[in-house]
Amino acid sequence: MEDRIEIPFQTIERNPKRKMMDIIALKQKNDKTLMNFYKNHIKEVLMLDFLELKQRGKKFEIPIEIIAEFYASTISSLNIWWIQNRGNVSAVQMDEYFNQMTNKSLFSIRESS
């Protein structure tokens, strides 16, 4: 769960079905129905993750439905860009960019050392 939230692109890269998903996403990138399905799937998974975190005592200042929508939209859009530019940007670098663009305190799960 922590990896899905904090390092989503490294998590995507570890998925054994990633190459097949990349081919489908590239060929169908203009298919709004498929892209909405993909985004909604990410959103559903993240909603479960955020609900679990809330049960563990994580306080959210923004409704988790809004956080999940933002997060899923951003990840799905950036993933399409990343698929098209995979040779130029590593998963680690994508996660670094992603975390620079988002409010780290909102998504931070792990305790600071």
Side-chain angles (χ1 to χ4, degrees):
M1 175 176 60
E2 288 85 357
D3 285 355
R4 274 195 303 268
I5 294 170
E6 292 186 339
I7 53 170
F9 295 95
Q10 290 174 70
T11 304
I12 290 168
E13 187 172 60
R14 288 192 302 258
N15 185 328
K17 297 178 183 175
R18 179 190 57 85
K19 288 183 182 182
M20 179 183 64
M21 291 168 43
D22 285 1
I23 291 168
I24 292 168
L26 278 174
K27 291 184 184 244
Q28 300 296 110
K29 68 181 177 187
N30 294 322
D31 182 342
K32 291 182 186 202
T33 303
L34 180 64
M35 292 301 111
N36 281 333
F37 174 81
Y38 177 64
K39 182 194 73 119
N40 287 330
H41 173 71
I42 293 171
K43 181 180 170 183
E44 288 174 17
V45 170
L46 290 170
M47 279 295 297
L48 294 174
D49 290 346
F50 293 141
L51 287 170
E52 172 70 21
L53 289 172
K54 191 173 183 177
Q55 288 178 343
R56 291 184 191 177
K58 172 77 174 160
K59 303 276 189 236
F60 294 97
E61 295 180 24
I62 300 169
I64 59 174
E65 296 83 5
I66 294 172
I67 297 169
E69 181 70 35
F70 167 79
Y71 205 80
S73 297
T74 303
I75 290 171
S76 60
S77 295
L78 286 176
N79 190 47
I80 295 299
W81 182 91
W82 184 44
I83 290 167
Q84 295 170 334
N85 295 277
R86 181 126 21 228
N88 301 322
V89 184
S90 70
V92 171
Q93 189 66 58
M94 283 299 293
D95 285 329
E96 288 175 13
Y97 292 150
F98 178 78
N99 286 310
Q100 287 175 8
M101 290 186 288
T102 58
N103 181 342
K104 291 181 185 180
S105 66
L106 177 64
F107 299 110
S108 180
I109 298 169
R110 296 182 177 114
E111 296 291 323
S112 299
S113 304

